[in-house]
Amino acid sequence: QVQLVESGGGLVQAGGSLRLSCAASGSIFRVSTVGWYRQAPGKQRELVATVTTGGNANYADSVKGRFTISRDNAKNTVYLQMSSLKPEDTAVYYCNAVIYQGALQYRNYWGQGTQVTVSS
């Protein structure tokens, strides 16, 4: 079994910064692509950023230039550095990872989410 644990959420004023972490543990051969998603109240979950095993990153237009996704493969951990935060960034942030568990088995996992609240 695999667990994804997010941390680093909290309350911050507009213009501030937070860094989220997503740590994978368990039966892992390799962590493949990882994505951060967010869901605001009354809205659908949306993709924020993704990073491949090799470090190639992609971002939603709404966060480009403000958020940076990175990973430490040795620690099976992915980070989301969020800067210049806006009230509209308020949401529950979820980590999603494709995990290779050996024997050609890839599975998709979600974390439990971490709340980010940006006050104006």
Side-chain angles (χ1 to χ4, degrees):
Q1 193 56 281
V2 172
Q3 286 188 325
L4 298 181
V5 178
E6 299 109 330
S7 61
L11 173 64
V12 64
Q13 288 189 333
S17 300
L18 283 174
R19 188 176 84 152
L20 306 183
S21 299
C22 172
S25 63
S27 180
I28 298 171
F29 189 84
R30 185 176 64 250
V31 179
S32 186
T33 298
V34 178
W36 282 98
Y37 292 74
R38 66 186 181 186
Q39 187 167 19
K43 295 188 177 181
Q44 290 189 332
R45 190 171 296 189
E46 63 175 359
L47 178 63
V48 175
T50 61
V51 63
T52 66
T53 306
N56 292 318
N58 283 286
Y59 301 91
D61 288 343
S62 58
V63 306
K64 280 181 181 177
R66 300 188 299 121
F67 291 11
T68 302
I69 190 171
S70 61
R71 62 190 294 162
D72 184 334
N73 290 331
K75 296 181 179 179
N76 287 334
T77 300
V78 172
Y79 306 96
L80 185 69
Q81 178 67 47
M82 305 185 296
S83 303
S84 301
L85 283 161
K86 305 174 181 180
E88 51 263 44
D89 294 318
T90 295
V92 178
Y93 283 71
Y94 297 92
C95 174
N96 173 271
V98 176
I99 306 289
Y100 178 56
Q101 296 181 277
L104 302 179
Q105 295 292 318
Y106 286 87
R107 292 191 65 182
N108 191 284
Y109 291 90
W110 288 91
Q112 81 288 352
T114 185
Q115 177 70 47
V116 171
T117 303
V118 184
S119 63
S120 57

